[in-house]
Amino acid sequence: MREDVLRSNLDEEASVLEILRALKRLEPDTDPQQLKAWLVERLQEGAERDEIGFYIDEFGARDVVDAERDEGLALLAEEAVWSEHSDMMLHVYAADALQ
């Protein structure tokens, strides 16, 4: 089920925060940090296989900025992309969707 949630959110180019929220709804009794760790691991694996890409969106920004793989991976470690109070959102997408 987690994989289904991830796949559908990749197709929608969701933010990592949105994906984590969907996982929390799917498994409300699971520790959110465990879900986050699972998600980060899957995103890292997908990025290393060039199956996913990243872009950055800031609230109020007119444009989104494509992020290189290493930048996207580094941002996964930043609390800002996981915070509901941050102006920065890290989005992920299926790399083949834009090819």
Side-chain angles (χ1 to χ4, degrees):
M1 296 295 287
R2 287 181 186 179
E3 294 291 339
D4 293 336
V5 168
L6 176 58
R7 221 177 339 271
S8 69
N9 279 277
L10 284 173
D11 290 343
E12 295 180 21
E13 299 182 17
S15 72
V16 294
L17 180 58
E18 291 172 297
I19 299 170
L20 182 57
R21 286 181 185 153
L23 291 170
K24 287 179 187 178
R25 287 190 300 274
L26 177 69
E27 298 181 25
D29 297 330
T30 303
D31 176 21
Q33 291 303 317
Q34 182 185 14
L35 294 172
K36 179 181 171 183
W38 178 88
L39 178 56
V40 168
E41 181 180 334
R42 291 303 179 276
L43 295 174
Q44 289 171 334
E45 290 170 357
E48 289 169 7
R49 291 190 305 264
D50 293 325
E51 294 174 351
I52 67 164
F54 299 97
Y55 69 86
I56 302 165
D57 181 15
E58 295 186 70
F59 293 117
R62 290 186 207 141
D63 298 313
V64 297
V65 177
D66 284 323
E68 296 294 324
R69 180 176 63 183
D70 291 341
E71 181 182 12
L73 291 172
L75 286 171
L76 289 174
E78 297 292 326
E79 198 55 39
V81 300
W82 301 102
S83 171
E84 296 178 17
H85 306 291
S86 174
D87 287 342
M88 178 176 50
M89 296 183 351
L90 178 64
H91 292 261
V92 292
Y93 61 89
D96 60 354
L98 297 182
Q99 293 177 1

